[in-house]
Amino acid sequence: MVSTTLAATSFSLLRNYNANVRAFAANVRAPLQHSTNYNSINFLLPLHSRRSLSRVSVTNDEEAAAKAAALNAGSEAPTIFDKIIAKEIPSSIVYEDEKVLAFRDINPQAPVHVLIIPKFRDGLTTLAKAEARHGDILGHLLCASKIVAEKEGILDGFRVVINNGPGACQSVYHLHLHVLGGRQLKWPPG
Amino acid sequence: MVSTTLAATSFSLLRNYNANVRAFAANVRAPLQHSTNYNSINFLLPLHSRRSLSRVSVTNDEEAAAKAAALNAGSEAPTIFDKIIAKEIPSSIVYEDEKVLAFRDINPQAPVHVLIIPKFRDGLTTLAKAEARHGDILGHLLCASKIVAEKEGILDGFRVVINNGPGACQSVYHLHLHVLGGRQLKWPPG
């Protein structure tokens, strides 16, 4: 489904390479992607970064990257998701409305693997920041996960996952729901 | 944390043994549990059931049990969660308000493993049944997951999981969120 290089690429690592991406993207006009996979970010990475990414395992990537990302967890700084929302970085969009955006994970863990994010983060760097006032957007995100599952044809078998903090492999500090399906999902869930 | 027998017991299997449980429970007065684990249901199971449960692996249990449970997925029949909500079956309650109940999973997959359910199912046998009108309760459930994580001391590392259908190991057809933490959670999430 994805190349070896892509399989080792995660949003978290991309976050760490943000400065490189910015510098590189300024000089590159990304072609429009017709693939169903969200695979444009890799194109934006300098070759040396792609090579270094491909040398580590995905699992260790996620844990290590989550730990690295957590160093700035308290920050309200923009993340790579802001660029995706702004369409400054192309993504394979599955669903969109005025409140949320759903797009394919660049490092899919199942035949269907979609991320759903609120367009306005509103302090929700992570679910741990949720307050009663966030009830509406949180409910909307879960309703969106059903819509995404329906669109992807996995309504009879899908899992929604929300990671919070390094202990759960959260690698981007903008709340996001993972929607996975298209294969038998195992137990325990990680 | 749990006995071997308990480790092989799942809500889904209990659902399948519902008739036995009902017949047995009518003749047994379950003692009040002071343990922090939700382990009273096993006490209600006939010995032959407990033995058969202990012979299969947990992973296969979950997949097989989910497939069995799915045979009645379209049904609006009560589940074991209704008995837990009604306090007819004791549980280790972590949090409760007028809308939701959170209690420890009888078959924990992490040091902290709590289930959160809506007290009024309102058609939500599974997340796939979600409609816009369910937004409030869905948002409330996610807010409750943050409260549970806070109470359990895992706010800096927890994962929320919602299984939908047999492909995702859903074994009780009453919407429920799993909140897991207290250890490094892996990737992929099952």
Side-chain angles (χ1 to χ4, degrees):
Chain A
M1 174 180 305
V2 290
S3 71
T4 308
T5 309
L6 274 171
T9 308
S10 76
F11 282 119
S12 47
L13 287 164
L14 288 164
R15 189 172 186 275
N16 297 336
Y17 280 100
N18 209 26
N20 281 344
V21 170
R22 267 199 299 271
F24 195 75
N27 296 308
V28 171
R29 189 180 300 273
L32 286 174
Q33 302 290 321
H34 66 277
S35 150
T36 54
N37 272 322
Y38 172 64
N39 60 8
S40 304
I41 287 183
N42 194 61
F43 176 82
L44 295 175
L45 279 179
L47 186 59
H48 66 83
S49 299
R50 279 184 270 162
R51 280 182 182 149
S52 67
L53 292 178
S54 67
R55 281 198 292 268
V56 282
S57 77
V58 172
T59 298
N60 288 340
D61 265 7
E62 293 300 324
E63 289 179 29
K67 284 186 175 66
L71 297 177
N72 295 314
S75 163
E76 287 283 343
T79 74
I80 194 167
F81 288 172
D82 290 283
K83 291 184 179 295
I84 290 173
I85 292 166
K87 314 282 169 77
E88 292 171 19
I89 294 177
S91 65
S92 177
I93 295 174
V94 175
Y95 173 73
E96 181 174 15
D97 63 26
E98 74 282 6
K99 294 179 182 172
V100 304
L101 181 69
F103 53 96
R104 295 186 199 287
D105 195 306
I106 194 174
N107 183 18
Q109 303 297 315
V112 174
H113 187 169
V114 174
L115 302 179
I116 311 179
I117 62 176
K119 287 185 174 177
F120 176 44
R121 188 171 59 177
D122 191 21
L124 287 173
T125 48
T126 178
L127 186 57
K129 301 285 189 186
E131 299 172 12
R133 70 184 172 89
H134 293 116
D136 283 353
I137 186 63
L138 292 173
H140 193 78
L141 285 162
L142 281 181
C143 286
S145 73
K146 174 264 180 87
I147 295 171
V148 165
E150 197 164 30
K151 281 178 173 285
E152 294 292 301
I154 55 168
L155 209 52
D156 60 350
F158 68 102
R159 178 171 291 170
V160 174
V161 176
I162 307 175
N163 296 328
N164 300 269
C169 292
Q170 180 176 6
S171 54
V172 179
Y173 280 80
H174 182 132
L175 176 68
H176 52 287
L177 281 63
H178 297 261
V179 180
L180 303 106
R183 67 166 170 82
Q184 177 64 53
L185 295 158
K186 305 298 182 183
W187 201 247
Chain B
M1 178 178 303
V2 290
S3 72
T4 307
T5 309
L6 276 170
T9 308
S10 75
F11 283 118
S12 47
L13 286 162
L14 288 163
R15 190 172 186 276
N16 298 336
Y17 281 99
N18 210 24
N20 280 346
V21 170
R22 269 200 298 271
F24 196 74
N27 296 308
V28 171
R29 188 180 301 271
L32 286 175
Q33 302 290 320
H34 65 279
S35 151
T36 55
N37 272 323
Y38 172 63
N39 59 7
S40 304
I41 286 182
N42 193 61
F43 176 81
L44 294 174
L45 279 178
L47 186 58
H48 67 83
S49 298
R50 279 182 269 162
R51 281 180 181 152
S52 67
L53 293 178
S54 67
R55 280 198 292 266
V56 282
S57 77
V58 171
T59 298
N60 288 340
D61 264 7
E62 293 300 325
E63 289 178 31
K67 284 186 175 66
L71 297 175
N72 294 315
S75 164
E76 288 282 344
T79 73
I80 193 166
F81 288 173
D82 291 283
K83 291 185 180 295
I84 290 172
I85 293 166
K87 314 282 168 77
E88 292 171 21
I89 295 177
S91 65
S92 176
I93 294 174
V94 175
Y95 173 74
E96 180 174 15
D97 63 27
E98 75 282 5
K99 294 178 182 173
V100 304
L101 182 68
F103 53 96
R104 296 187 198 285
D105 194 306
I106 194 175
N107 183 17
Q109 303 297 314
V112 173
H113 188 168
V114 174
L115 301 180
I116 311 180
I117 62 176
K119 287 184 173 176
F120 175 43
R121 187 171 58 176
D122 190 22
L124 288 174
T125 48
T126 177
L127 186 56
K129 300 285 190 186
E131 298 172 12
R133 69 183 171 89
H134 293 116
D136 283 354
I137 186 62
L138 293 173
H140 193 78
L141 284 162
L142 282 181
C143 286
S145 73
K146 175 262 180 87
I147 295 170
V148 165
E150 196 164 30
K151 283 178 172 287
E152 294 292 301
I154 56 168
L155 208 53
D156 59 352
F158 68 101
R159 178 171 289 170
V160 173
V161 176
I162 307 175
N163 296 328
N164 301 269
C169 293
Q170 180 176 5
S171 54
V172 179
Y173 280 81
H174 182 131
L175 176 68
H176 51 288
L177 280 63
H178 297 261
V179 180
L180 302 107
R183 68 165 169 83
Q184 176 64 54
L185 295 159
K186 303 298 182 183
W187 201 248

